[in-house]
């Protein structure tokens, strides 16, 4: 077939253009290739060839070594060598963008090709990152740990910030990554992110009692600023601190602790910025090499030193001998020219700060007056009377003569909500249980107020009588870190319907001697003693989900109370790996807990109940069951000090008997018409 000259010209241009395009991409640095947003290119053969290298460099543990130009072609011998290194854990790191950047590349490959190989490798990298986290929330420079400064919590070169930004994008499903982890992994991601932010807050350096900024690395045990290489001494870092603050400013509905951290850091940035100088490169006539110098310039943009003294913020410089110098001119050419001694990054923080402050500054309380003080609306987008639930609580009438209804639009409300004792007859009504979420991450160790810190951790604390909540999710997202309450109810005659309560240890605290609470059609999950307290509570048609081998209840029913915890028509479920759960153990000696007409999964231990090493409790508690079903209901194997109720005894467990008030007043039948 004979081709026309016109067609040959077009074909030649097309082939040449594509060759040039591939050459241009191929000639890019590895970092620029990752940042490439040309979706079609990631489906090209060139991209697949580079992806093959990325997969080869990944170790079996899930991470990658650093400073590898992945796009460079590999010889057969080099590929064989990389295969041999697969099982090695040496040099696997998140330093210098390693691992996080390869994961971003694999995500783009998966989006373009739908090749499951890239997804599997990405998730392996994610698993590596989650495993590498310290219990205190920090990440080391290398994992598995290497001796020396590599074990420090590493903010240097934004290592930990890169990790947290990755986790944040995944948990919020922002679309940056084309791969969605499983629900179980997403829970781990949320826990890891929250722990990481908590670590950041704890490592912010106090200078003479005032919060300032961060060091490039902090000791993994003491959390104090730490030394890395000889010229990287304990100090306050202008560069790394900027990345940390930008991350904190990107958190939606920040806690008061985060706001304080940001405000303090911005104050510090303003205080230590350097004006009137700039960096320049000049050619040395003798060596023909470029040298970095500092020159005066009244119009120069602000600069910040990479290292500043911990006690007074004085900039310093250091060569490989580890001796501090006052100026960069005193540093030898190798370190002077090969290291970033100044940074402009805090300018990004200062540019973003005014808008952030206007959105989240709570130093001046809003004077919003709701249109209807008995029927208020909370909406994150500003379309209601308030944007936070607590603002609505502040505006609610004290001891009102009619019910105050606070309607909450869908959204994630990251805040602690306190319904005060004077906020009686309050209803929190969510738009939907699935999407109206109140969340916070306080836990015992974070609060650190002594032996009773548990009771300060609740996401929602109810102290106003006759409270109602419907169609809400209440979460404590601190993870498996000890006592961390999601909902604390320390009021009388409180009702919860179609609510989800999520946490780990101590999810739900039901307080108040003589108080009555009613939970209907709710989902409650947790680990150790995740339903605990002294109130009389009816759980009606609820799902009670165990996340670990532990105890569902820890009642502390006062002596003389007729009823304690009563579960009727409930479904007891558990995570797949959970197989040894007790129905309850006595927090106090007179604990009462009864299960009636409940379906029990096979995770319930045959003996059913535990005495919490309190022999006397076997005589004084009332632990009983009636007419239950499921593999976990094994009455013949229960401890001999528990009870199987007779039909005549079970008839006493009516809603009215359990919940009626101890006093004959107008509220005695409060549980009706809710």
């Amino acid at each position: 077939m004979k081709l026309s000259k016109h067609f040959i010209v077009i074909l030649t241009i097309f082939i040449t253009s594509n060759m040039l395009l591939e050459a241009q991409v191929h000639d890019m640095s590895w970092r620029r290739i990752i940042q490439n947003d040309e979706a079609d290119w990631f489906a090209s053969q060139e991209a697949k060839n580079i992806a093959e290298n990325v997969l080869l460099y990944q170790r079996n543990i899930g991470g990658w070594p650093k400073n590898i130009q992945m796009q460079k072609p590999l010889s057969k011998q080099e590929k064989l060598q990389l295969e041999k290194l697969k099982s090695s854990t040496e040099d696997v790191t998140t330093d210098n963008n390693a691992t996080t950047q390869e994961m971003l590349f694999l995500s783009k490959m998966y989006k373009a090709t739908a090749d499951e190989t890239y997804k599997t490798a990405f998730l392996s990298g994610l698993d590596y990152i989650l495993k590498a986290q310290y219990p205190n929330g920090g990440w080391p420079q290398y994992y598995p740990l290497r001796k020396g400064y590599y074990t420090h919590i590493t903010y240097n070169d934004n290592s930990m910030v890169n990790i947290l930004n990755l986790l944040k994008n995944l948990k919020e499903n922002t679309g940056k990554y084309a791969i969605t982890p499983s629900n179980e992994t997403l829970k781990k991601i949320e826990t890891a992110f929250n722990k990481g932010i908590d670590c950041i807050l704890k490592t912010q350096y106090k200078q003479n009692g005032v919060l300032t900024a961060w060091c490039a690395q902090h000791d993994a045990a003491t959390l104090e600023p730490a030394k890395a290489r000889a010229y990287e001494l304990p100090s306050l870092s202008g560069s790394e601190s900027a990345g940390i603050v930008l991350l904190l400013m990107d958190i939606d509905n920040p806690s008061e602790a985060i706001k304080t951290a940001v405000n303090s850091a911005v104050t510090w940035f303003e205080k230590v910025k350097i004006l009137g100088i700039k960096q320049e490169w000049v050619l040395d006539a003798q060596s023909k090499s470029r040298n970095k110098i500092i020159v005066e310039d009244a119009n120069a943009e602000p600069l910040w030193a990479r290292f500043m003294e911990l006690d007074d913020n004085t900039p310093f410089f250091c060569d490989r001998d580890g001796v501090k110098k006052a100026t960069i001119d005193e540093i030898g050419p190798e370190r002077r020219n090969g290291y970033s001694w100044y940074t402009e990054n805090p300018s990004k923080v200062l540019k973003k700060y005014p808008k952030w402050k206007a959105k989240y500054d709570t130093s001046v309380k809003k004077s919003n007056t709701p249109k209807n003080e008995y029927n208020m609306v909370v909406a994150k987008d500003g379309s209601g009377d308030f944007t936070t639930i607590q603002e609505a609580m502040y505006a609610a009438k004290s001891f009102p003569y009619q019910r105050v209804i606070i309607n909450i639009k869908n959204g994630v409300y990251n805040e602690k909500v306190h319904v005060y004792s004077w906020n009686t007859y309050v209803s929190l009504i969510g738009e939907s249980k699935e999407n109206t979420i109140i969340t916070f991450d306080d836990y015992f160790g974070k609060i650190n107020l002594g032996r009773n810190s548990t009771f300060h951790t609740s996401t929602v604390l109810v102290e106003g009588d006759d409270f109602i909540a419907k169609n809400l999710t209440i979460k404590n997202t601190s993870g498996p870190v000890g006592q961390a309450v999601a909902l604390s109810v320390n009021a009388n005659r409180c009702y919860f319907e179609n609510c989800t309560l999520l946490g780990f240890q101590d999810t739900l605290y039901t307080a108040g001697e003589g108080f009555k609470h009613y939970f209907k059609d709710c989902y409650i999950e947790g680990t150790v003693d995740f339903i605990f307290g002294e109130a009389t509570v009816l759980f009606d048609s609820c799902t009670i989900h165990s996340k670990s081998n532990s105890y569902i209840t820890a009642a502390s029913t006062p002596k003389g109370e007729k009823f304690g915890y009563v579960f009727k028509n409930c479904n007891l479920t558990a995570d797949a790996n959970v197989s040894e759960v007790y129905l309850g153990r006595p927090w106090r000696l007179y604990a009462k807990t009864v299960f009636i007409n409940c379906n029990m999964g096979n995770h319930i231990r045959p003996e059913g109940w535990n005495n919490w090493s309190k022999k006397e409790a076997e005589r004084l508690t009332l632990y009983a069951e009636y007419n239950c079903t499921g593999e976990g209901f094994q009455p013949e194997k229960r401890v001999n000090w528990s009870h199987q109720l007779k039909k005549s005894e079970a008839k006493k467990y009516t809603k009215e008997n359990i919940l009626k008030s101890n006093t004959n007043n107008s509220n005695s039948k409060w549980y009706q018409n809710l």
Side-chain angles (χ1 to χ4, degrees):
M1 182 177 67
K2 188 174 181 181
L3 300 176
S4 69
K5 290 183 179 180
H6 179 68
F7 179 78
I8 292 173
V9 169
I10 293 175
L11 182 61
T12 303
I13 292 172
F14 176 78
I15 294 173
T16 303
S17 298
N18 276 277
M19 289 176 63
L20 286 172
L21 177 61
E22 290 203 0
Q24 286 170 352
V25 174
H26 196 77
D27 288 342
M28 287 182 180
S29 69
W30 173 229
R31 187 171 298 182
R32 288 188 65 193
I33 289 174
I34 295 165
Q35 294 169 349
N36 179 18
D37 289 326
E38 296 177 18
D40 291 344
W41 179 83
F42 284 92
S44 70
Q45 187 57 50
E46 183 185 19
K48 293 176 182 177
N49 292 340
I50 295 173
E52 183 182 347
N53 291 354
V54 174
L55 296 175
L56 278 171
Y57 275 107
Q58 187 180 28
R59 303 288 171 81
N60 291 339
I61 196 174
W64 283 263
K66 67 178 179 179
N67 300 332
I68 307 293
Q69 292 298 312
M70 298 283 177
Q71 78 282 9
K72 291 187 176 180
L74 294 170
S75 66
K76 184 177 181 180
Q77 184 71 23
E78 288 171 325
K79 290 181 179 181
L80 290 173
Q81 185 62 30
L82 286 173
E83 288 287 358
K84 292 179 181 179
L85 288 173
K86 279 285 185 181
S87 60
S88 172
T89 58
E90 187 177 358
D91 296 331
V92 185
T93 182
T94 55
D95 189 32
N96 286 11
N97 298 300
T99 299
T100 53
Q101 62 185 1
E102 282 75 31
M103 290 175 66
L104 178 57
F105 177 82
L106 290 173
S107 171
K108 293 182 177 182
M109 290 298 302
Y110 178 73
K111 183 177 183 179
T113 66
D115 188 331
E116 290 291 320
T117 305
Y118 304 135
K119 179 179 179 180
T120 300
F122 177 95
L123 294 175
S124 178
L126 177 59
D127 187 51
Y128 166 79
I129 284 173
L130 294 174
K131 286 180 179 177
Q133 188 179 31
Y134 283 131
N136 63 19
W139 272 270
Q141 188 176 135
Y142 284 84
Y143 180 80
L145 298 178
R146 288 175 56 177
K147 291 182 179 180
Y149 68 84
Y150 306 107
T151 63
H152 293 326
I153 294 168
T154 304
Y155 298 130
N156 194 39
D157 293 329
N158 288 328
S159 177
M160 188 162 148
V161 168
N162 289 339
I163 291 171
L164 289 170
N165 276 320
L166 165 71
L167 299 182
K168 185 176 186 295
N169 278 286
L170 289 174
K171 79 184 186 73
E172 295 178 1
N173 193 23
T174 62
K176 181 173 181 178
Y177 296 92
I179 297 167
T180 302
S182 66
N183 288 335
E184 182 180 357
T185 302
L186 285 171
K187 290 180 181 179
K188 293 179 181 179
I189 289 171
E190 185 164 18
T191 298
F193 180 82
N194 291 334
K195 287 171 64 178
I197 297 301
D198 187 43
C199 179
I200 285 175
L201 298 179
K202 286 182 176 179
T203 50
Q204 189 172 16
Y205 186 74
K206 278 190 175 181
Q207 188 182 86
N208 301 319
V210 178
L211 287 172
T212 56
W214 291 262
C215 185
Q217 51 278 319
H218 287 251
D219 186 276
T222 68
L223 304 185
E224 293 297 318
K227 176 185 176 182
R229 290 174 286 192
Y231 49 89
E232 295 173 329
L233 303 179
S235 59
L236 294 175
S237 168
S239 181
E240 278 72 19
S241 296
I244 291 171
V245 177
L246 287 170
L247 168 66
L248 294 178
M249 292 171 75
D250 200 35
I251 294 175
D252 192 26
N253 292 313
S255 66
E256 291 302 318
I258 292 174
K259 294 176 189 177
T260 298
V262 171
N263 287 325
S264 301
V266 168
T267 299
W268 182 81
F269 282 138
E270 290 283 11
K271 181 179 180 180
V272 302
K273 66 183 177 183
I274 303 169
L275 302 174
I277 65 169
K278 67 178 181 180
Q279 298 182 102
E280 284 189 351
W281 290 91
V282 297
L283 184 66
D284 185 275
Q286 291 184 339
S287 65
K288 303 298 183 184
S289 61
R290 294 198 314 156
N291 279 320
K292 187 187 297 180
I293 63 170
I294 304 299
V295 298
E296 292 185 2
D297 184 345
N299 298 317
E301 294 294 325
L303 290 177
W304 285 262
R306 180 73 175 264
F307 301 116
M308 285 168 265
E309 294 283 8
L310 293 169
D311 57 354
D312 63 4
N313 307 312
T314 301
F316 69 84
F317 310 86
C318 204
D319 217 326
R320 292 191 181 274
D321 58 5
V323 178
K324 292 180 182 178
K325 304 292 193 304
T327 67
I328 194 174
D329 295 334
E330 300 173 69
I331 304 299
E334 186 265 337
R335 280 295 81 196
R336 182 172 70 247
N337 299 324
Y339 200 72
S340 299
W341 295 104
Y342 290 97
T343 180
E344 297 177 352
N345 288 341
S347 291
K348 300 176 185 176
V349 174
L350 299 183
K351 182 178 180 180
K352 186 176 180 180
Y353 180 68
K355 186 176 181 180
W356 178 90
K357 186 174 178 64
K359 184 176 182 180
Y360 293 119
D361 186 15
T362 57
S363 60
V364 179
K365 296 294 181 185
K366 294 182 179 179
S367 59
N368 288 18
T369 300
K371 298 175 183 177
N372 183 340
E373 59 188 2
Y374 290 105
N375 200 321
M376 297 182 275
V377 177
V378 177
K380 286 175 62 66
D381 62 5
S383 60
D385 299 300
F386 305 97
T387 58
T388 70
I389 301 165
Q390 195 58 45
E391 284 179 314
M393 290 309 312
Y394 290 142
K397 293 177 76 68
S398 60
F399 305 109
Y401 289 106
Q402 69 182 75
R403 181 162 292 279
V404 176
I405 299 174
I406 300 175
N407 300 284
I408 308 171
K409 296 293 186 180
N410 285 340
V412 178
Y413 296 85
N414 192 329
E415 57 177 305
K416 286 174 77 78
V417 175
H418 190 171
V419 182
Y420 298 98
S421 60
W422 53 86
N423 292 131
T424 54
Y425 293 99
V426 166
S427 293
L428 298 185
I429 310 298
E431 185 175 355
S432 71
K433 177 180 66 174
E434 295 77 16
N435 298 308
T436 307
I437 302 169
I438 310 172
T439 178
F440 210 74
D441 60 354
D442 274 348
Y443 58 93
F444 189 101
K446 178 180 176 182
I447 292 294
N448 196 26
L449 292 174
R451 64 187 300 168
N452 295 313
S453 295
T454 301
F455 306 107
H456 297 276
T457 63
S458 52
T459 298
V460 174
L461 170 59
V462 178
E463 293 181 325
D465 291 344
D466 299 289
F467 174 83
I468 292 175
K470 296 181 180 181
N471 312 327
L472 293 170
T473 290
I474 301 172
K475 302 171 64 175
N476 188 310
T477 58
S478 57
V481 292
Q483 297 98 320
V485 179
L487 171 64
S488 178
V489 189
N490 190 10
N492 200 10
R493 301 180 299 273
C494 296
Y495 177 64
F496 298 83
E497 180 183 320
N498 194 36
C499 290
T500 296
L501 308 180
L502 304 177
F504 285 81
Q505 184 174 350
D506 295 355
T507 302
L508 170 62
Y509 177 40
T510 59
E513 185 171 343
F515 287 175
K516 305 294 178 77
H517 308 155
Y518 184 14
F519 289 79
K520 182 174 175 56
D521 299 324
C522 292
Y523 175 92
I524 308 167
E525 73 170 27
T527 56
V528 181
D529 304 333
F530 63 95
I531 301 174
F532 71 111
E534 62 268 26
T536 294
V537 187
L538 173 60
F539 297 92
D540 183 358
S541 305
C542 295
T543 296
I544 311 298
H545 186 82
S546 296
K547 298 172 69 175
S548 74
N549 292 326
S550 52
Y551 311 86
I552 294 174
T553 65
S556 57
T557 315
K559 183 179 179 180
E561 288 289 338
K562 292 182 180 179
F563 304 96
Y565 286 158
V566 181
F567 295 83
K568 296 187 72 174
N569 308 308
C570 292
N571 193 24
L572 277 56
T573 61
D575 284 358
N577 61 338
V578 175
S579 59
E580 298 184 6
V581 174
Y582 289 97
L583 295 171
R585 60 177 181 172
W587 185 14
R588 297 292 181 267
L589 292 175
Y590 295 92
K592 288 182 170 66
T593 303
V594 177
F595 289 84
I596 297 174
N597 299 330
C598 293
N599 182 270
M600 301 181 178
N602 61 7
H603 60 290
I604 301 300
R605 292 178 65 111
E607 61 267 42
W609 307 91
N610 183 281
N611 68 7
W612 207 338
S613 300
K614 301 170 184 174
K615 189 67 179 176
E616 190 179 7
E618 297 182 6
R619 180 175 58 88
L620 299 175
T621 60
L622 174 63
Y623 283 157
E625 299 157 81
Y626 175 75
N627 196 38
C628 293
T629 58
E631 295 179 63
F633 180 57
Q634 301 184 54
E636 70 284 355
K637 295 182 180 180
R638 293 294 192 248
V639 293
N640 58 14
W641 46 273
S642 68
H643 305 272
Q644 295 299 316
L645 297 178
K646 298 177 183 177
K647 186 175 182 179
S648 59
E649 293 173 319
K651 285 183 178 179
K652 298 178 182 178
Y653 287 83
T654 65
K655 183 194 301 184
E656 181 176 7
N657 286 344
I658 297 166
L659 296 177
K660 67 180 178 181
S661 295
N662 297 328
T663 57
N664 293 320
N665 57 26
S666 60
N667 289 323
S668 62
K669 295 186 178 182
W670 64 275
Y671 49 85
Q672 297 180 341
N673 303 316
L674 293 169

